[in-house]
Amino acid sequence: MEYANKRVDSLIKKDAKIAVLCGGMSNEREVSLRSGKNVLAALKRLGYQNTEIVDATRDSVKALSEGNFEYAYNTLHGKYGEDGCIQGLLEILGIKYTGCKVKSSAICMDKEMTKNLLYANGLNIIKSVCIKYNENLDIKKAVSGLNFPIMVKPSAEGSSIGMSKVDTLEELERALKIAQKSDKKILLEEYLQGTSITVGVLEDVKKAQIFATPILEFRTKTLWYDYEAKYTEGMTEFILPAELDETLTCKIQEMAIKAHKACDCTGVSRVDFLIYNNIPYVLEINTNPGMTDLSDLPAQAGAMGIDYDNLVQLVLNTALID
C-alpha cells in the first residue's frame, strides 16, 4: 500500500494557531463533539500545540474573529457546519479551513440537489421525488410514481436523523410529520434491499492526487443504517474491505471520485452507495465525515495504511486548497 507505514508530510507550520471546530447547533452536536475531541488529541500528538477547541455556537463568531486563528479544522456535522454556513463565515474572516468549500458543502447537504447533479453526470441514483410537506399535501398523488416501501429522508439532515422506512400511505403520513421537524423539504426514495457500502475520497495536497479508500460494507442489526446502527457499538458489522469482486470494487471507487468531482468537493468526502442486483447506486455525499472511534472514514483509511494521526494530517493539509 502506498501509505503503509509512511508519515504524511505536514504542509502547515507546527506553530500555526488552529481552531478545531466542533459541537455546533445541529442535531449531530454530540457526534461532532466526539469527532473534535479525537482530532484535537491527534493534532497535539502531531506537534500542533497551538491548537484549541472552538464550540461553534453563535458565540463562537467572536472567538473566531478575535482568536487570531490561521486555520480551522472543521469537525462539525449537519446544519450550520456542513452546509456552507460556517465555511462562508470562515471565508469572511480569512481563516483557511479543511475540507469542502461553501458551494460543494451547500450542494451536498441538499439531497435533492445532489441527486440532480449526480444524475446529470451519468451516475446511477435510486428513483425518488422531493416534496415540501404541509397539511394540504395530496400524499397519494405525491408518491404516485414510486413503489413502496419508501425511505423518507429530510433533504438537509445527516446521521439518518428524521429518516423512516414506510410500507403504506398511513405510515408515510406519520413519517412525513417526523421528517418535517428536521427539514420542510423531504426526499421520498424507493427502498431497495441491497448491500450498503461507503467509500472515502481523500485528496493528497502534496501529490495533487485524489484517491478512494477501500470500500466499507456494513451489515446492521437494524432494518437499515439508522442513527442507532451508526453510533451504537455492536449494532453494525463492518466488512472492510467489502466482499466484492475486483471489477465491481474498481467501478465503485471510480464512481465515488466522479461523484466527489461532480459536486465540486475538495479535500475529503465520503460517498454512500447501495448495491442492488449488482448495480451500484449513489445515495449521498458526506462532505465532513465523522472522526469518532466508530466512524467509517478512519477505519477505511486505516485499511490502506493511513492511521488516525496521518489521516488528520492529510485532512489538515487540505486547508491549503483554494
Side-chain angles (χ1 to χ4, degrees):
M1 293 183 185
E2 183 178 359
Y3 289 93
N5 302 316
K6 293 183 180 178
R7 191 174 73 176
V8 174
D9 291 335
S10 170
L11 304 182
I12 291 172
K13 59 185 186 296
K14 295 292 185 177
D15 62 351
K17 190 165 187 186
I18 303 170
V20 176
L21 297 175
C22 63
M25 299 179 288
S26 80
N27 291 326
E28 298 177 81
R29 174 178 171 80
E30 294 305 315
V31 176
S32 174
L33 287 169
R34 287 157 58 187
S35 289
K37 180 181 177 181
N38 284 2
V39 167
L40 176 68
L43 288 170
K44 295 285 189 180
R45 290 192 297 267
L46 288 165
Y48 297 100
Q49 299 304 320
N50 201 14
T51 301
E52 61 188 73
I53 290 282
V54 174
D55 191 342
T57 63
R58 289 179 177 86
D59 295 334
S60 66
V61 175
K62 183 177 180 181
L64 285 170
S65 60
E66 297 179 358
N68 296 315
F69 292 105
E70 298 169 79
Y71 302 95
Y73 195 115
N74 185 11
T75 66
L76 293 165
H77 308 310
K79 292 182 179 179
Y80 309 115
E82 201 171 358
D83 59 0
C85 289
I86 195 70
Q87 290 82 1
L89 174 62
L90 293 168
E91 296 272 0
I92 291 169
L93 296 176
I95 300 173
K96 295 181 179 296
Y97 57 93
T98 58
C100 292
K101 306 304 179 187
V102 177
K103 180 174 66 174
S104 55
S105 298
I107 288 170
C108 293
M109 194 64 184
D110 186 317
K111 292 180 176 64
E112 180 189 27
M113 188 174 293
T114 302
K115 285 173 78 82
N116 289 342
L117 269 175
L118 295 174
Y119 181 77
N121 281 271
L123 289 154
N124 302 325
I125 59 170
I126 298 173
K127 190 175 182 180
S128 65
V129 297
C130 203
I131 64 169
K132 288 191 175 179
Y133 177 73
N134 60 65
E135 293 182 356
N136 298 319
L137 176 71
D138 186 335
I139 299 175
K140 185 176 182 179
K141 183 178 179 181
V143 300
S144 60
L146 300 181
N147 296 311
F148 282 93
I150 291 173
M151 291 301 300
V152 180
K153 304 179 179 182
S155 185
E157 188 59 275
S159 287
S160 301
I161 292 169
M163 283 177 55
S164 303
K165 173 182 172 288
V166 300
D167 297 298
T168 66
L169 281 173
E170 291 73 23
E171 290 179 0
L172 177 56
E173 186 168 8
R174 291 193 294 270
L176 289 172
K177 290 179 180 179
I178 294 171
Q180 63 91 29
K181 294 177 182 178
S182 297
D183 192 359
K184 296 297 182 184
K185 189 162 77 166
I186 302 168
L187 185 77
L188 306 177
E189 183 178 78
E190 289 188 354
Y191 172 80
L192 302 179
Q193 190 167 6
T195 302
S196 297
I197 61 168
T198 186
V199 188
V201 179
L202 291 164
E203 188 162 349
D204 189 322
V205 177
K206 185 177 181 181
K207 298 177 181 179
Q209 173 185 327
I210 298 174
F211 61 93
T213 67
I215 300 171
L216 173 64
E217 176 185 348
F218 35 81
R219 300 172 186 170
T220 69
K221 294 182 179 179
T222 54
L223 287 175
W224 45 279
Y225 199 36
D226 60 9
Y227 188 94
E228 182 185 11
K230 287 180 178 178
Y231 300 114
T232 305
E233 192 167 3
M235 290 301 293
T236 300
E237 178 187 1
F238 297 97
I239 296 90
L240 183 63
E243 295 175 349
L244 306 172
D245 64 55
E246 185 176 353
T247 300
L248 185 56
T249 294
C250 291
K251 179 179 180 179
I252 291 169
Q253 289 174 321
E254 289 170 1
M255 287 176 66
I257 293 173
K258 185 176 181 179
H260 177 94
K261 292 179 177 179
C263 293
D264 204 24
C265 295
T266 52
V268 58
S269 71
R270 203 194 72 237
V271 186
D272 295 343
F273 291 82
L274 184 82
I275 304 172
Y276 179 74
N277 286 342
N278 217 40
I279 299 173
Y281 295 88
V282 183
L283 295 177
E284 61 180 86
I285 303 175
N286 300 273
T287 56
N288 217 17
M291 294 290 283
T292 73
D293 295 335
L294 299 177
S295 293
D296 299 334
L297 185 64
Q300 292 166 312
M304 63 184 303
I306 305 173
D307 64 20
Y308 191 91
D309 288 5
N310 275 315
L311 174 60
V312 167
Q313 183 66 71
L314 264 176
V315 175
L316 179 62
N317 287 346
T318 69
L320 298 176
I321 299 173
D322 292 326

PDB file of all heavy atoms in Angstrom, residues 51-85:
ATOM      1  N   THR A  51      -3.196  24.654  19.344  1.00  0.00           N
ATOM      2  CA  THR A  51      -4.496  24.242  18.818  1.00  0.00           C
ATOM      3  C   THR A  51      -5.502  24.180  19.951  1.00  0.00           C
ATOM      4  O   THR A  51      -5.171  23.753  21.061  1.00  0.00           O
ATOM      5  CB  THR A  51      -4.384  22.848  18.159  1.00  0.00           C
ATOM      6  OG1 THR A  51      -3.428  22.894  17.109  1.00  0.00           O
ATOM      7  CG2 THR A  51      -5.711  22.399  17.590  1.00  0.00           C
ATOM      8  N   GLU A  52      -6.724  24.610  19.690  1.00  0.00           N
ATOM      9  CA  GLU A  52      -7.746  24.574  20.726  1.00  0.00           C
ATOM     10  C   GLU A  52      -9.123  24.303  20.130  1.00  0.00           C
ATOM     11  O   GLU A  52      -9.365  24.523  18.949  1.00  0.00           O
ATOM     12  CB  GLU A  52      -7.768  25.880  21.522  1.00  0.00           C
ATOM     13  CG  GLU A  52      -8.070  27.116  20.698  1.00  0.00           C
ATOM     14  CD  GLU A  52      -7.891  28.394  21.503  1.00  0.00           C
ATOM     15  OE1 GLU A  52      -6.733  28.778  21.773  1.00  0.00           O
ATOM     16  OE2 GLU A  52      -8.926  29.006  21.852  1.00  0.00           O
ATOM     17  N   ILE A  53     -10.005  23.802  20.983  1.00  0.00           N
ATOM     18  CA  ILE A  53     -11.382  23.541  20.594  1.00  0.00           C
ATOM     19  C   ILE A  53     -12.167  24.851  20.544  1.00  0.00           C
ATOM     20  O   ILE A  53     -12.037  25.695  21.425  1.00  0.00           O
ATOM     21  CB  ILE A  53     -12.058  22.596  21.611  1.00  0.00           C
ATOM     22  CG1 ILE A  53     -11.481  21.174  21.512  1.00  0.00           C
ATOM     23  CG2 ILE A  53     -13.573  22.587  21.433  1.00  0.00           C
ATOM     24  CD1 ILE A  53     -11.993  20.352  20.363  1.00  0.00           C
ATOM     25  N   VAL A  54     -12.977  25.004  19.504  1.00  0.00           N
ATOM     26  CA  VAL A  54     -13.948  26.097  19.453  1.00  0.00           C
ATOM     27  C   VAL A  54     -15.318  25.470  19.211  1.00  0.00           C
ATOM     28  O   VAL A  54     -15.547  24.859  18.166  1.00  0.00           O
ATOM     29  CB  VAL A  54     -13.621  27.106  18.331  1.00  0.00           C
ATOM     30  CG1 VAL A  54     -14.741  28.139  18.208  1.00  0.00           C
ATOM     31  CG2 VAL A  54     -12.288  27.799  18.594  1.00  0.00           C
ATOM     32  N   ASP A  55     -16.192  25.599  20.190  1.00  0.00           N
ATOM     33  CA  ASP A  55     -17.551  25.092  20.058  1.00  0.00           C
ATOM     34  C   ASP A  55     -18.336  26.079  19.190  1.00  0.00           C
ATOM     35  O   ASP A  55     -18.526  27.238  19.573  1.00  0.00           O
ATOM     36  CB  ASP A  55     -18.190  24.956  21.438  1.00  0.00           C
ATOM     37  CG  ASP A  55     -19.508  24.196  21.404  1.00  0.00           C
ATOM     38  OD1 ASP A  55     -20.099  24.070  20.311  1.00  0.00           O
ATOM     39  OD2 ASP A  55     -19.963  23.745  22.475  1.00  0.00           O
ATOM     40  N   ALA A  56     -18.761  25.627  18.037  1.00  0.00           N
ATOM     41  CA  ALA A  56     -19.308  26.531  17.025  1.00  0.00           C
ATOM     42  C   ALA A  56     -20.773  26.875  17.269  1.00  0.00           C
ATOM     43  O   ALA A  56     -21.670  26.475  16.534  1.00  0.00           O
ATOM     44  CB  ALA A  56     -19.130  25.939  15.640  1.00  0.00           C
ATOM     45  N   THR A  57     -21.018  27.629  18.334  1.00  0.00           N
ATOM     46  CA  THR A  57     -22.338  28.196  18.590  1.00  0.00           C
ATOM     47  C   THR A  57     -22.330  29.639  18.090  1.00  0.00           C
ATOM     48  O   THR A  57     -21.346  30.099  17.504  1.00  0.00           O
ATOM     49  CB  THR A  57     -22.645  28.165  20.091  1.00  0.00           C
ATOM     50  OG1 THR A  57     -21.694  28.990  20.778  1.00  0.00           O
ATOM     51  CG2 THR A  57     -22.550  26.738  20.635  1.00  0.00           C
ATOM     52  N   ARG A  58     -23.424  30.359  18.321  1.00  0.00           N
ATOM     53  CA  ARG A  58     -23.469  31.754  17.891  1.00  0.00           C
ATOM     54  C   ARG A  58     -22.376  32.588  18.556  1.00  0.00           C
ATOM     55  O   ARG A  58     -21.865  33.546  17.982  1.00  0.00           O
ATOM     56  CB  ARG A  58     -24.846  32.352  18.173  1.00  0.00           C
ATOM     57  CG  ARG A  58     -25.929  31.799  17.247  1.00  0.00           C
ATOM     58  CD  ARG A  58     -27.297  32.392  17.550  1.00  0.00           C
ATOM     59  NE  ARG A  58     -28.289  31.903  16.602  1.00  0.00           N
ATOM     60  CZ  ARG A  58     -28.960  30.781  16.732  1.00  0.00           C
ATOM     61  NH1 ARG A  58     -28.717  30.003  17.782  1.00  0.00           N
ATOM     62  NH2 ARG A  58     -29.836  30.412  15.830  1.00  0.00           N
ATOM     63  N   ASP A  59     -22.006  32.227  19.775  1.00  0.00           N
ATOM     64  CA  ASP A  59     -20.955  32.956  20.494  1.00  0.00           C
ATOM     65  C   ASP A  59     -19.572  32.732  19.893  1.00  0.00           C
ATOM     66  O   ASP A  59     -18.638  33.474  20.183  1.00  0.00           O
ATOM     67  CB  ASP A  59     -20.934  32.539  21.969  1.00  0.00           C
ATOM     68  CG  ASP A  59     -22.211  32.932  22.703  1.00  0.00           C
ATOM     69  OD1 ASP A  59     -22.860  33.907  22.254  1.00  0.00           O
ATOM     70  OD2 ASP A  59     -22.559  32.271  23.689  1.00  0.00           O
ATOM     71  N   SER A  60     -19.424  31.699  19.070  1.00  0.00           N
ATOM     72  CA  SER A  60     -18.103  31.383  18.525  1.00  0.00           C
ATOM     73  C   SER A  60     -17.653  32.380  17.471  1.00  0.00           C
ATOM     74  O   SER A  60     -16.472  32.423  17.130  1.00  0.00           O
ATOM     75  CB  SER A  60     -18.114  29.971  17.917  1.00  0.00           C
ATOM     76  OG  SER A  60     -18.965  29.924  16.791  1.00  0.00           O
ATOM     77  N   VAL A  61     -18.574  33.185  16.949  1.00  0.00           N
ATOM     78  CA  VAL A  61     -18.185  34.198  15.962  1.00  0.00           C
ATOM     79  C   VAL A  61     -17.135  35.123  16.565  1.00  0.00           C
ATOM     80  O   VAL A  61     -16.119  35.441  15.934  1.00  0.00           O
ATOM     81  CB  VAL A  61     -19.406  35.000  15.487  1.00  0.00           C
ATOM     82  CG1 VAL A  61     -18.976  36.130  14.560  1.00  0.00           C
ATOM     83  CG2 VAL A  61     -20.408  34.092  14.782  1.00  0.00           C
ATOM     84  N   LYS A  62     -17.366  35.536  17.792  1.00  0.00           N
ATOM     85  CA  LYS A  62     -16.410  36.403  18.476  1.00  0.00           C
ATOM     86  C   LYS A  62     -15.098  35.669  18.722  1.00  0.00           C
ATOM     87  O   LYS A  62     -14.012  36.227  18.503  1.00  0.00           O
ATOM     88  CB  LYS A  62     -16.988  36.884  19.799  1.00  0.00           C
ATOM     89  CG  LYS A  62     -16.078  37.846  20.557  1.00  0.00           C
ATOM     90  CD  LYS A  62     -16.744  38.348  21.833  1.00  0.00           C
ATOM     91  CE  LYS A  62     -15.816  39.317  22.572  1.00  0.00           C
ATOM     92  NZ  LYS A  62     -16.447  39.809  23.841  1.00  0.00           N
ATOM     93  N   ALA A  63     -15.192  34.410  19.167  1.00  0.00           N
ATOM     94  CA  ALA A  63     -13.976  33.634  19.439  1.00  0.00           C
ATOM     95  C   ALA A  63     -13.133  33.470  18.183  1.00  0.00           C
ATOM     96  O   ALA A  63     -11.903  33.588  18.230  1.00  0.00           O
ATOM     97  CB  ALA A  63     -14.347  32.266  20.007  1.00  0.00           C
ATOM     98  N   LEU A  64     -13.777  33.224  17.051  1.00  0.00           N
ATOM     99  CA  LEU A  64     -13.039  33.043  15.798  1.00  0.00           C
ATOM    100  C   LEU A  64     -12.453  34.358  15.294  1.00  0.00           C
ATOM    101  O   LEU A  64     -11.320  34.404  14.824  1.00  0.00           O
ATOM    102  CB  LEU A  64     -13.960  32.451  14.733  1.00  0.00           C
ATOM    103  CG  LEU A  64     -14.292  30.962  14.877  1.00  0.00           C
ATOM    104  CD1 LEU A  64     -15.393  30.572  13.900  1.00  0.00           C
ATOM    105  CD2 LEU A  64     -13.054  30.107  14.641  1.00  0.00           C
ATOM    106  N   SER A  65     -13.218  35.445  15.409  1.00  0.00           N
ATOM    107  CA  SER A  65     -12.750  36.729  14.874  1.00  0.00           C
ATOM    108  C   SER A  65     -11.650  37.347  15.726  1.00  0.00           C
ATOM    109  O   SER A  65     -10.807  38.085  15.220  1.00  0.00           O
ATOM    110  CB  SER A  65     -13.925  37.707  14.745  1.00  0.00           C
ATOM    111  OG  SER A  65     -14.526  37.941  16.004  1.00  0.00           O
ATOM    112  N   GLU A  66     -11.654  37.040  17.023  1.00  0.00           N
ATOM    113  CA  GLU A  66     -10.658  37.628  17.923  1.00  0.00           C
ATOM    114  C   GLU A  66      -9.546  36.666  18.310  1.00  0.00           C
ATOM    115  O   GLU A  66      -8.607  37.046  19.011  1.00  0.00           O
ATOM    116  CB  GLU A  66     -11.351  38.137  19.196  1.00  0.00           C
ATOM    117  CG  GLU A  66     -12.362  39.255  18.935  1.00  0.00           C
ATOM    118  CD  GLU A  66     -13.052  39.732  20.198  1.00  0.00           C
ATOM    119  OE1 GLU A  66     -12.760  39.157  21.281  1.00  0.00           O
ATOM    120  OE2 GLU A  66     -13.865  40.676  20.113  1.00  0.00           O
ATOM    121  N   GLY A  67      -9.638  35.417  17.839  1.00  0.00           N
ATOM    122  CA  GLY A  67      -8.687  34.408  18.294  1.00  0.00           C
ATOM    123  C   GLY A  67      -7.386  34.317  17.528  1.00  0.00           C
ATOM    124  O   GLY A  67      -6.517  33.505  17.861  1.00  0.00           O
ATOM    125  N   ASN A  68      -7.240  35.124  16.480  1.00  0.00           N
ATOM    126  CA  ASN A  68      -6.021  35.087  15.653  1.00  0.00           C
ATOM    127  C   ASN A  68      -5.724  33.699  15.091  1.00  0.00           C
ATOM    128  O   ASN A  68      -4.570  33.295  14.962  1.00  0.00           O
ATOM    129  CB  ASN A  68      -4.806  35.594  16.459  1.00  0.00           C
ATOM    130  CG  ASN A  68      -4.956  37.044  16.861  1.00  0.00           C
ATOM    131  OD1 ASN A  68      -5.348  37.882  16.051  1.00  0.00           O
ATOM    132  ND2 ASN A  68      -4.646  37.347  18.112  1.00  0.00           N
ATOM    133  N   PHE A  69      -6.775  32.976  14.739  1.00  0.00           N
ATOM    134  CA  PHE A  69      -6.593  31.645  14.166  1.00  0.00           C
ATOM    135  C   PHE A  69      -6.177  31.761  12.703  1.00  0.00           C
ATOM    136  O   PHE A  69      -6.719  32.552  11.943  1.00  0.00           O
ATOM    137  CB  PHE A  69      -7.891  30.838  14.260  1.00  0.00           C
ATOM    138  CG  PHE A  69      -8.282  30.485  15.664  1.00  0.00           C
ATOM    139  CD1 PHE A  69      -9.327  31.151  16.293  1.00  0.00           C
ATOM    140  CD2 PHE A  69      -7.603  29.500  16.357  1.00  0.00           C
ATOM    141  CE1 PHE A  69      -9.694  30.825  17.586  1.00  0.00           C
ATOM    142  CE2 PHE A  69      -7.955  29.168  17.655  1.00  0.00           C
ATOM    143  CZ  PHE A  69      -9.011  29.833  18.275  1.00  0.00           C
ATOM    144  N   GLU A  70      -5.219  30.939  12.335  1.00  0.00           N
ATOM    145  CA  GLU A  70      -4.783  30.882  10.936  1.00  0.00           C
ATOM    146  C   GLU A  70      -5.556  29.811  10.168  1.00  0.00           C
ATOM    147  O   GLU A  70      -5.789  29.943   8.959  1.00  0.00           O
ATOM    148  CB  GLU A  70      -3.294  30.571  10.868  1.00  0.00           C
ATOM    149  CG  GLU A  70      -2.403  31.632  11.516  1.00  0.00           C
ATOM    150  CD  GLU A  70      -0.984  31.143  11.647  1.00  0.00           C
ATOM    151  OE1 GLU A  70      -0.248  31.167  10.627  1.00  0.00           O
ATOM    152  OE2 GLU A  70      -0.593  30.712  12.759  1.00  0.00           O
ATOM    153  N   TYR A  71      -5.928  28.739  10.885  1.00  0.00           N
ATOM    154  CA  TYR A  71      -6.593  27.606  10.250  1.00  0.00           C
ATOM    155  C   TYR A  71      -7.731  27.109  11.137  1.00  0.00           C
ATOM    156  O   TYR A  71      -7.707  27.266  12.367  1.00  0.00           O
ATOM    157  CB  TYR A  71      -5.603  26.452  10.018  1.00  0.00           C
ATOM    158  CG  TYR A  71      -4.419  26.812   9.166  1.00  0.00           C
ATOM    159  CD1 TYR A  71      -3.213  27.207   9.755  1.00  0.00           C
ATOM    160  CD2 TYR A  71      -4.497  26.782   7.779  1.00  0.00           C
ATOM    161  CE1 TYR A  71      -2.119  27.548   8.968  1.00  0.00           C
ATOM    162  CE2 TYR A  71      -3.419  27.125   6.990  1.00  0.00           C
ATOM    163  CZ  TYR A  71      -2.233  27.512   7.591  1.00  0.00           C
ATOM    164  OH  TYR A  71      -1.158  27.858   6.808  1.00  0.00           O
ATOM    165  N   ALA A  72      -8.705  26.490  10.490  1.00  0.00           N
ATOM    166  CA  ALA A  72      -9.787  25.826  11.209  1.00  0.00           C
ATOM    167  C   ALA A  72      -9.894  24.395  10.699  1.00  0.00           C
ATOM    168  O   ALA A  72      -9.966  24.164   9.490  1.00  0.00           O
ATOM    169  CB  ALA A  72     -11.108  26.558  11.007  1.00  0.00           C
ATOM    170  N   TYR A  73      -9.869  23.460  11.623  1.00  0.00           N
ATOM    171  CA  TYR A  73     -10.105  22.054  11.291  1.00  0.00           C
ATOM    172  C   TYR A  73     -11.575  21.803  11.591  1.00  0.00           C
ATOM    173  O   TYR A  73     -11.992  21.777  12.741  1.00  0.00           O
ATOM    174  CB  TYR A  73      -9.202  21.143  12.126  1.00  0.00           C
ATOM    175  CG  TYR A  73      -9.126  19.725  11.602  1.00  0.00           C
ATOM    176  CD1 TYR A  73      -7.942  19.198  11.113  1.00  0.00           C
ATOM    177  CD2 TYR A  73     -10.252  18.907  11.591  1.00  0.00           C
ATOM    178  CE1 TYR A  73      -7.873  17.900  10.621  1.00  0.00           C
ATOM    179  CE2 TYR A  73     -10.191  17.608  11.107  1.00  0.00           C
ATOM    180  CZ  TYR A  73      -9.013  17.114  10.624  1.00  0.00           C
ATOM    181  OH  TYR A  73      -8.963  15.839  10.148  1.00  0.00           O
ATOM    182  N   ASN A  74     -12.364  21.617  10.548  1.00  0.00           N
ATOM    183  CA  ASN A  74     -13.810  21.523  10.700  1.00  0.00           C
ATOM    184  C   ASN A  74     -14.253  20.094  10.999  1.00  0.00           C
ATOM    185  O   ASN A  74     -14.132  19.213  10.158  1.00  0.00           O
ATOM    186  CB  ASN A  74     -14.490  22.027   9.422  1.00  0.00           C
ATOM    187  CG  ASN A  74     -16.000  22.077   9.547  1.00  0.00           C
ATOM    188  OD1 ASN A  74     -16.560  21.935  10.627  1.00  0.00           O
ATOM    189  ND2 ASN A  74     -16.667  22.295   8.424  1.00  0.00           N
ATOM    190  N   THR A  75     -14.766  19.868  12.197  1.00  0.00           N
ATOM    191  CA  THR A  75     -15.351  18.566  12.531  1.00  0.00           C
ATOM    192  C   THR A  75     -16.835  18.713  12.844  1.00  0.00           C
ATOM    193  O   THR A  75     -17.418  17.883  13.544  1.00  0.00           O
ATOM    194  CB  THR A  75     -14.636  17.895  13.727  1.00  0.00           C
ATOM    195  OG1 THR A  75     -14.861  18.672  14.907  1.00  0.00           O
ATOM    196  CG2 THR A  75     -13.148  17.769  13.480  1.00  0.00           C
ATOM    197  N   LEU A  76     -17.454  19.751  12.317  1.00  0.00           N
ATOM    198  CA  LEU A  76     -18.885  19.956  12.504  1.00  0.00           C
ATOM    199  C   LEU A  76     -19.675  19.059  11.561  1.00  0.00           C
ATOM    200  O   LEU A  76     -19.246  18.806  10.438  1.00  0.00           O
ATOM    201  CB  LEU A  76     -19.246  21.420  12.245  1.00  0.00           C
ATOM    202  CG  LEU A  76     -18.689  22.423  13.255  1.00  0.00           C
ATOM    203  CD1 LEU A  76     -18.800  23.827  12.706  1.00  0.00           C
ATOM    204  CD2 LEU A  76     -19.414  22.295  14.583  1.00  0.00           C
ATOM    205  N   HIS A  77     -20.829  18.627  12.017  1.00  0.00           N
ATOM    206  CA  HIS A  77     -21.704  17.804  11.199  1.00  0.00           C
ATOM    207  C   HIS A  77     -23.099  18.430  11.169  1.00  0.00           C
ATOM    208  O   HIS A  77     -23.557  19.003  12.154  1.00  0.00           O
ATOM    209  CB  HIS A  77     -21.809  16.378  11.763  1.00  0.00           C
ATOM    210  CG  HIS A  77     -20.479  15.730  12.001  1.00  0.00           C
ATOM    211  ND1 HIS A  77     -19.480  15.700  11.059  1.00  0.00           N
ATOM    212  CD2 HIS A  77     -19.983  15.090  13.098  1.00  0.00           C
ATOM    213  CE1 HIS A  77     -18.425  15.059  11.550  1.00  0.00           C
ATOM    214  NE2 HIS A  77     -18.707  14.685  12.778  1.00  0.00           N
ATOM    215  N   GLY A  78     -23.772  18.318  10.032  1.00  0.00           N
ATOM    216  CA  GLY A  78     -25.141  18.788   9.948  1.00  0.00           C
ATOM    217  C   GLY A  78     -25.267  20.276   9.666  1.00  0.00           C
ATOM    218  O   GLY A  78     -24.339  20.924   9.174  1.00  0.00           O
ATOM    219  N   LYS A  79     -26.431  20.820  10.005  1.00  0.00           N
ATOM    220  CA  LYS A  79     -26.741  22.211   9.692  1.00  0.00           C
ATOM    221  C   LYS A  79     -25.766  23.172  10.346  1.00  0.00           C
ATOM    222  O   LYS A  79     -25.309  22.951  11.464  1.00  0.00           O
ATOM    223  CB  LYS A  79     -28.173  22.534  10.131  1.00  0.00           C
ATOM    224  CG  LYS A  79     -29.243  21.820   9.306  1.00  0.00           C
ATOM    225  CD  LYS A  79     -30.640  22.207   9.757  1.00  0.00           C
ATOM    226  CE  LYS A  79     -31.690  21.495   8.908  1.00  0.00           C
ATOM    227  NZ  LYS A  79     -33.063  21.823   9.316  1.00  0.00           N
ATOM    228  N   TYR A  80     -25.467  24.217   9.640  1.00  0.00           N
ATOM    229  CA  TYR A  80     -24.587  25.313  10.028  1.00  0.00           C
ATOM    230  C   TYR A  80     -23.106  24.944   9.977  1.00  0.00           C
ATOM    231  O   TYR A  80     -22.257  25.826   9.915  1.00  0.00           O
ATOM    232  CB  TYR A  80     -24.935  25.859  11.428  1.00  0.00           C
ATOM    233  CG  TYR A  80     -26.386  26.184  11.604  1.00  0.00           C
ATOM    234  CD1 TYR A  80     -27.177  25.482  12.515  1.00  0.00           C
ATOM    235  CD2 TYR A  80     -26.997  27.177  10.836  1.00  0.00           C
ATOM    236  CE1 TYR A  80     -28.527  25.758  12.663  1.00  0.00           C
ATOM    237  CE2 TYR A  80     -28.349  27.465  10.976  1.00  0.00           C
ATOM    238  CZ  TYR A  80     -29.113  26.749  11.897  1.00  0.00           C
ATOM    239  OH  TYR A  80     -30.439  27.017  12.034  1.00  0.00           O
ATOM    240  N   GLY A  81     -22.783  23.655  10.003  1.00  0.00           N
ATOM    241  CA  GLY A  81     -21.383  23.270   9.984  1.00  0.00           C
ATOM    242  C   GLY A  81     -20.963  22.513   8.749  1.00  0.00           C
ATOM    243  O   GLY A  81     -19.784  22.470   8.403  1.00  0.00           O
ATOM    244  N   GLU A  82     -21.956  21.914   8.060  1.00  0.00           N
ATOM    245  CA  GLU A  82     -21.651  21.069   6.913  1.00  0.00           C
ATOM    246  C   GLU A  82     -22.413  21.526   5.668  1.00  0.00           C
ATOM    247  O   GLU A  82     -22.367  20.881   4.636  1.00  0.00           O
ATOM    248  CB  GLU A  82     -22.026  19.611   7.244  1.00  0.00           C
ATOM    249  CG  GLU A  82     -21.340  18.561   6.400  1.00  0.00           C
ATOM    250  CD  GLU A  82     -21.582  17.151   6.914  1.00  0.00           C
ATOM    251  OE1 GLU A  82     -22.259  16.975   7.956  1.00  0.00           O
ATOM    252  OE2 GLU A  82     -21.077  16.211   6.271  1.00  0.00           O
ATOM    253  N   ASP A  83     -23.089  22.666   5.790  1.00  0.00           N
ATOM    254  CA  ASP A  83     -23.973  23.122   4.713  1.00  0.00           C
ATOM    255  C   ASP A  83     -23.522  24.420   4.052  1.00  0.00           C
ATOM    256  O   ASP A  83     -24.262  25.019   3.288  1.00  0.00           O
ATOM    257  CB  ASP A  83     -25.396  23.294   5.242  1.00  0.00           C
ATOM    258  CG  ASP A  83     -25.484  24.297   6.396  1.00  0.00           C
ATOM    259  OD1 ASP A  83     -24.441  24.860   6.782  1.00  0.00           O
ATOM    260  OD2 ASP A  83     -26.600  24.514   6.899  1.00  0.00           O
ATOM    261  N   GLY A  84     -22.303  24.839   4.354  1.00  0.00           N
ATOM    262  CA  GLY A  84     -21.764  26.056   3.751  1.00  0.00           C
ATOM    263  C   GLY A  84     -21.804  27.264   4.661  1.00  0.00           C
ATOM    264  O   GLY A  84     -21.138  28.273   4.386  1.00  0.00           O
ATOM    265  N   CYS A  85     -22.553  27.198   5.763  1.00  0.00           N
ATOM    266  CA  CYS A  85     -22.693  28.362   6.652  1.00  0.00           C
ATOM    267  C   CYS A  85     -21.373  28.708   7.349  1.00  0.00           C
ATOM    268  O   CYS A  85     -20.890  29.837   7.258  1.00  0.00           O
ATOM    269  CB  CYS A  85     -23.793  28.110   7.680  1.00  0.00           C
ATOM    270  SG  CYS A  85     -25.451  28.122   6.995  1.00  0.00           S
TER     271      CYS A  85
END
